[in-house]
Amino acid sequence: MSGFDPSWLDLREPVDHRSLAAGPLERLTATFGGAPVSVADLGAGSGSALRALAPRLGRSQRWTLIDSDPALLAHARLRLRAWADAVEGDGETLRLNKAGATIHVAFLAEELARDHFPQAAAAADLVVASAFFDLAGEAWLAAFIERLAAAQNTLYAPLIYDGLKRFAPAHDLDQAVLVAFNDHQRSEKGLGPALGPDAARRLAELAGAQGYRATAAASPWRLGAADRSLTEALVRGMASAAAQLPAAPDALPKWQAFRLGAAAGGGAVGHVDLLLTPPGS
Ligand SMILES: C[S@@+](CC[C@H](N)C(=O)[O-])C[C@H]1O[C@@H](n2cnc3c(N)ncnc32)[C@H](O)[C@@H]1O
């Protein structure tokens, strides 16, 4: 169990998909065109990236979903079975048909703290890691980039949290809670003290030092009244993370009560999408 609730991943999926930035996505589609492609998805969760990207890739795809949490991978199997037009397979591997594409999916329960870059990633044409790198620390990221560069893989890393959150209407404690939440984002998440809001910048720098080209663009969640459930979950998550810190604002419960009451006002959460392509590609 990684601490990522399947219901949280389900709630954010439609907002994640509509928030993906056009630039990196268009370059990704242009790079792989309609050719057969193999993809390794690191920290795949319930398979959201597959459902976002498969319609933009060719008619023959092989995906390996890699995550440390077997319960999330089980959820991914269920979600993919429901999403596909037709399914074959025993659950260990699936053969999906979706809108004319054939998509083979394998599931790998792997702790990326132990193995930064599983063989399935080295062997893939494309490595994907969505909403993942802000969990990683500097040393882990540096080692990961070395392995990525050795394999000369392309990396698509959308939805890296950039430290900005805004709610409407504003509350006096918004900034103090955000500072506490962002401090929590920099704590240990299993891959060393996490880079949190600095992760996208460091990822691009480390890859640039290996000759990689970065296509970067902002991919904020823009939340409105229809996203009220997600905003409520976001507020609860922020308050619970901020409460774990000694410097948590005393009035956190009041802030949470106000924010939950005003959740229909929505807000925004900042992210960065990165496409990193190896030298010469
Ligand atoms: C924020 S969720 C993103 C899930 C999915 N990529 C998406 O976009 O919906 C982060 C995912 O990374 C996985 N994860 C976190 N730390 C991990 C680790 N050390 N090894 C493997 N997976 C990990 C979690 O289990 C979770 O599924």
Side-chain angles (χ1 to χ4, degrees):
M1 177 67 194
S2 66
F4 288 92
D5 194 321
S7 61
W8 163 247
L9 297 183
D10 287 349
L11 203 51
R12 60 178 287 170
E13 178 164 332
V15 183
D16 277 345
H17 287 192
R18 76 177 189 228
S19 303
L20 294 175
L25 208 46
E26 281 162 11
R27 181 131 197 268
L28 174 72
T29 311
T31 303
F32 291 96
V37 65
S38 57
V39 187
D41 184 359
L42 304 181
S46 55
S48 171
L50 187 159
R51 289 183 288 280
L53 296 182
R56 299 164 189 275
L57 295 170
R59 293 166 63 90
S60 170
Q61 304 176 28
R62 287 188 177 275
W63 284 71
T64 305
L65 305 193
I66 302 170
D67 204 286
S68 55
D69 189 338
L72 284 181
L73 291 176
H75 188 60
R77 285 186 191 93
L78 291 176
R79 291 289 318 270
L80 289 169
R81 283 182 167 278
W83 170 81
D85 298 330
V87 186
E88 286 171 33
D90 53 10
E92 285 305 311
T93 56
L94 297 176
R95 184 174 182 272
L96 311 177
N97 217 289
K98 179 73 177 176
T102 302
I103 308 167
H104 290 86
V105 190
F107 302 87
L108 183 59
E110 183 70 76
E111 175 47 69
L112 294 167
R114 266 197 306 272
D115 185 355
H116 296 71
F117 206 69
Q119 178 52 30
D125 302 313
L126 168 65
V127 177
V128 169
S130 167
F132 176 73
F133 282 107
D134 39 71
L135 302 172
E138 171 77 24
W140 187 92
L141 197 60
F144 170 84
I145 287 292
E146 270 187 27
R147 300 279 303 276
L148 179 83
Q152 290 290 286
N153 295 116
T154 294
L155 173 68
Y156 179 58
L159 299 162
I160 304 171
Y161 175 56
D162 74 358
L164 300 177
K165 283 193 171 143
R166 183 176 51 70
F167 296 100
H171 183 279
D172 284 351
L173 275 182
D174 284 344
Q175 187 57 25
V177 177
L178 180 60
V179 168
F181 175 75
N182 284 346
D183 281 351
H184 180 268
Q185 291 303 97
R186 293 190 178 88
S187 62
E188 174 70 49
K189 303 282 191 305
L191 301 172
L195 284 160
D198 298 324
R201 178 183 56 76
R202 281 303 286 148
L203 184 56
E205 281 172 2
L206 290 164
Q210 299 280 353
Y212 269 69
R213 175 176 161 194
T215 307
S219 55
W221 284 353
R222 297 187 199 287
L223 304 171
D227 307 307
R228 185 183 183 134
S229 303
L230 181 60
T231 304
E232 288 172 355
L234 198 59
V235 165
R236 288 200 174 90
M238 280 181 81
S240 127
Q244 292 170 36
L245 296 174
D250 291 339
L252 204 48
K254 276 192 188 156
W255 176 85
Q256 175 170 319
F258 173 85
R259 285 267 66 101
L260 290 177
V269 177
H271 301 107
V272 175
D273 291 0
L274 278 176
L275 180 72
L276 299 169
T277 47
S281 62

